[in-house]
Amino acid sequence: MTLTIAVNHESTTAPYEQLRAQISERARSGGLPVGYKLPTVRGLAEQLGLAANTVAKAYKALEADGVIETRGRHGTFVAAAGDAATRRAATAAAQYAEEARRLGLSREAAEAAMSEALRAAYDS
């Protein structure tokens, strides 16, 4: 399997964001299987005609999203994105619940605030 990425240099979307979006979509759709080894930052930058910092920025964002994971000198691999995303969401939800409780909000008020935040994020 070969990673094929197309960066449109004429696009108003930043190259790192194009790279991040394409890798993320392919990983989440199964086009890039869990455990697939991605090219090195330098190698992919050279292949795409981008600066290494651009690819590094995309990889860093993907890692923060839980889509990829870096295993030191072994390389960068597609992670079990759904599992990582679910874990991060659960952690954030637990932190929110604890903060709402500390603030003295009722369960109903905390749920209403969360519901409104989700509506704003997903319905915009």
Side-chain angles (χ1 to χ4, degrees):
M1 173 182 290
T2 304
L3 176 65
T4 304
I5 300 287
V7 176
N8 179 354
H9 296 283
E10 303 298 319
S11 174
T12 58
T13 303
Y16 93 89
E17 179 58 28
Q18 293 178 51
L19 178 60
R20 186 209 59 77
Q22 288 179 55
I23 292 174
S24 180
E25 187 280 323
R26 288 193 183 122
R28 293 182 196 283
S29 71
L32 290 176
V34 171
Y36 176 82
K37 185 174 182 179
L38 294 168
T40 64
V41 167
R42 286 183 185 167
L44 188 55
E46 187 176 299
Q47 176 186 338
L48 298 174
L50 298 172
N53 286 342
T54 300
V55 176
K57 185 175 181 180
Y59 275 20
K60 185 175 182 177
L62 288 162
E63 192 160 22
D65 292 344
V67 176
I68 65 173
E69 60 186 8
T70 301
R71 300 178 191 160
R73 295 184 179 268
H74 298 287
T76 303
F77 299 84
V78 173
D83 294 340
T86 300
R87 282 193 308 272
R88 289 188 61 203
T91 299
Q95 290 170 342
Y96 169 75
E98 184 59 32
E99 181 67 13
R101 190 183 60 73
R102 268 191 298 239
L103 291 170
L105 295 178
S106 68
R107 179 182 179 135
E108 292 77 19
E111 287 175 347
M114 178 54 67
S115 181
E116 182 56 36
L118 288 169
R119 186 176 10 269
Y122 283 92
D123 296 343
S124 60

